[in-house]
Amino acid sequence: MVHSKNEADRIKLFNLGIIERNPAEHEFHQAVQEFTGSVMPYVMANAKYDDGHILQRMTEPDRIVIFRVCWEDDKGHIHCNRAWRVQFNNAIGPYKGGLRFHPNVTQSVLKFLAFEQVYKNALTGLPMGGGKGGSDFDPKGKSDREIMRFCQSLMIELSNHIGEDTDIPAGDIGVGGREISYLFGQYKRLKNRFVGTLTGKGLSYGGSLIRTEATGYGVVYFTQHMLNMRNEKLAGKTTLISGAGNVAIFCAEKLTSEGAKVMTLSDSSGFIYDPDGIDHQKLAFLKELKFVKRQRLSEYTQKYSQATYYQGKRPWMIKADLAFPCATQNELELEDAKALVNNGIQLIAEGANMPCSLEAVQYFQEKSILFAPAKAANAGGVAVSGLEQTQNSLRLPWTREEVDSRLQHIMAHIHQQCVEYGAKDDATDYVKGANIAGFVKVADAMLAYGIG
Ligand code: NDP
């Protein structure tokens, strides 16, 4: 986005203040910088937001809870991890956002995730505020019992801060159906209440159909709307995906169903390139490999010999039409963006949260590449979490078709809001559109409450 000198000065000054008040929280600085780049000019043009110092208020979390989680491994050794719950903003509904278990979790990572969650949740049109939590616990290589003991220990403290009308956690990296079940079981035991305080639950105890698939499917629904604006279709497109977790696998599944060819997936050790495409049969093998056996992606090439495994590399050097970074933050940097553009990429949709660095996003925009930011593109997961809460409150499960149709409707609505607020010449700036549409909803609620 091009700024006037006045705007650029205000943005710079504001972001310096953020860095000063939140030292060493680089991921949080990055998320705020991306946001203010599009929102500050809008604030400057609308006195009620500027006079209300709304951006200062919106970049300060309501509260952060930090606590110790001690647990015993299978050999009887005691371990101590740190956990957080960042309750960022509940202006339009109870805090809502996932829990992440990964050794690189820090307060900065969770603050960036919670901050973005506020605006993503606003875009869904559902009454959800934004939060995020997690721990620096590494689930890799742990037994089921160790995972269970960790989750139970974490919930002893977390249960004091969450509730169906207060804060409703869900999954994220390292927290899938197994972990949510252990967490929910412990919550229920501690509170003696069966309420929808966590989402992503198993189907027989309050979970929603399509929740597992929702983020990946939603990314594809959003992409279809972007392509439709250019009279293009997914069928026949070649695609790159990073990650091999919940978001990546179901993004691959929906792309394949729509006739696109998925050529890559990755994990933190490297990526697989299958020039024949990763079809439904191969995806069934991968689901078993990753979700049941919990093995590494490199095993894929043992079964499918036409595929190549690239140890320690990212998939962005492969030539394709569309790219879907679905693993983690900052996994696609400027050099990767240049490689993609050189190879003729047409569209990038962020399945993961903040997978593209600021420089990469700017580069895509300079080159007029269609770019869907995470806040809009991956909002399908939290949207179906919101629908899970609704079903829990109604005590009535909906069919697969009902939930999928609501998900499609929500993704269409998010796309519509991006087009409305992100108009740029005859195209759409989706970053600007998503940021401003989310901002307006939350800011108006905050102003209505008065100063606080
Ligand atoms: P999973 O834990 O299911 O999968 C994560 C995948 O990313 C794994 O393949 C993992 O590989 C890879 N990965 C993790 N860390 C790194 C790293 N540092 N470098 C390279 N690869 C890495 O997580 P999800 O699929 O649920 O989440 C993926 C992304 O999508 C995250 O950014 C998350 O915040 C976002 N997201 C998730 C939603 C959901 O509903 N689950 C909703 C909206 C956004 P390995 O196994 O080797 O660690």
Side-chain angles (χ1 to χ4, degrees), residues 100 102 104 112-113 117 120 132 140 171-175 211-212 214-216 242-249 266-269 290-291 295-297 325-329 331 351-355 378-382:
R100 178 178 290 192
H102 195 281
N104 74 8
F112 114 67
L113 289 164
Q117 194 81 49
K120 178 188 314 199
K132 200 87 186 188
K140 280 206 191 82
D172 191 77
I173 291 178
V175 179
R211 173 59 190 94
T212 314
T215 310
S242 63
N246 173 270
V247 180
I249 294 279
S266 73
D267 62 17
S268 51
S269 313
K290 295 303 290 181
F291 301 147
Q295 289 176 351
R296 305 304 294 164
L297 191 59
C326 295
T328 192
Q329 64 271 8
E331 52 157 324
N353 285 312
M354 207 168 74
N378 74 20
V382 74

Side-chain angles (χ1 to χ4, degrees), residues 75 94 103 127-128 151 162 182 209 212 238 269 271 313 317 359 361 381 389 405 431:
K75 295 196 178 101
M128 300 184 290
C151 289
I162 61 175
Y182 290 144
L209 286 159
T212 314
T238 51
S269 313
F271 79 93
K313 296 263 190 287
M317 56 167 139
E359 296 74 19
V361 177
Q389 287 175 247
S405 131
V431 175

